[in-house]
Amino acid sequence: MAAAALEAGRKLFAQACGFVAGALGPDQVPLSELPEVAFAGRSNVGKSSLLNALTGRRTLARTSNTPGRTRQLNFFDLGGRLMLVDLPGYGYAEASKADIAAWTRLTRAYLKGRPQLRRVMLLIDARHGLKPSDRDVMKELDAAAVSYQIVLTKADKAKSGALQDLLRRTRGELAKHVAAHPEIAVTSAVAGEGVAELRAALAALAVLGPSG
């Protein structure tokens, strides 16, 4: 990746990043004209850890060993240039079916009705690859024409050979999805792998239009 792009990412994420709102219903989603990037993934995939690593703040997003702790849409303003949105995790079983259905409806309504949403970063555990629930989300995003990009997390815990095989298989699968971005980001919040490159990619989205 070009040095200029990496520097743009560094500068963007060096800006102040503050909590704006937590939405439990569509009427609580904040009004904003900032471009947005949403982070989605199965519970315990490492969404909060990656958000903290990207922003250099240990407590921006709460981390927990309890699946499904993030039960609302959390909005964070990054330097007045980009809105980061932490979506509720999916794939957990400890919450009630009624709660899961409510959170699912809220997330779907947001994804389909947010014109400033530039891209969904779909986080996948590098040790396990795509699961059926991930594929369900991908189909929904395809149907809603919402651009999304696969971000592998916890790459430091995956063996090199297995990781390369996962990348090959995932690229082949992404080719079948109309809304999928072809590039796959490989990250580790613990080791810092891929964090600078992901910052650069997000900085580019901060200045692109909806079709970017």
Side-chain angles (χ1 to χ4, degrees):
M1 181 172 288
L6 292 172
E7 178 62 10
R10 185 196 67 78
K11 287 183 176 180
L12 174 60
F13 280 87
Q15 304 299 310
C17 188
F19 178 74
V20 174
L24 287 170
D27 58 327
Q28 297 177 356
V29 173
L31 297 175
S32 170
E33 295 183 355
L34 291 178
E36 291 181 356
V37 174
F39 292 77
R42 288 172 55 84
S43 297
N44 279 1
V45 75
K47 277 195 297 95
S48 296
S49 295
L50 183 59
L51 278 167
N52 290 338
L54 284 167
T55 59
R57 294 160 178 81
R58 294 183 179 181
T59 58
L60 180 74
R62 294 184 304 175
T63 59
S64 172
N65 291 323
T66 304
R69 181 169 180 176
T70 301
R71 300 184 178 185
Q72 60 185 15
L73 277 65
N74 290 317
F75 293 78
F76 302 91
D77 183 333
L78 180 60
R81 290 187 55 202
L82 185 67
M83 191 78 79
L84 306 178
V85 187
D86 185 10
L87 302 179
Y90 54 84
Y92 50 88
E94 294 186 8
S96 72
K97 290 184 178 179
D99 283 344
I100 292 173
W103 300 329
T104 301
R105 286 195 299 270
L106 171 61
T107 302
R108 288 175 176 171
Y110 164 75
L111 292 174
K112 294 180 179 180
R114 198 70 168 172
Q116 65 266 51
L117 179 62
R118 298 293 187 258
R119 188 171 297 167
V120 173
M121 313 308 287
L122 184 57
L123 277 55
I124 305 295
D125 192 319
R127 299 169 298 178
H128 307 306
L130 293 169
K131 298 290 186 180
S133 55
D134 300 316
R135 294 184 174 94
D136 289 342
V137 172
M138 291 165 67
K139 290 177 182 177
E140 288 190 18
L141 293 172
D142 285 338
V146 175
S147 174
Y148 62 95
Q149 181 173 0
I150 297 295
V151 179
L152 298 182
T153 62
K154 306 182 182 182
D156 58 303
K157 298 181 179 180
K159 295 182 179 179
S160 178
L163 180 59
Q164 293 305 314
D165 182 60
L166 173 62
L167 284 168
R168 178 185 57 78
R169 289 186 285 109
T170 305
R171 289 190 184 103
E173 194 161 345
L174 288 179
K176 305 174 184 177
H177 291 269
V178 296
H181 191 277
E183 296 181 9
I184 300 173
V186 179
T187 68
S188 166
V190 174
E193 178 182 354
V195 171
E197 289 78 6
L198 187 54
R199 286 172 178 161
L202 295 175
L205 292 174
V207 297
L208 289 176
S211 63

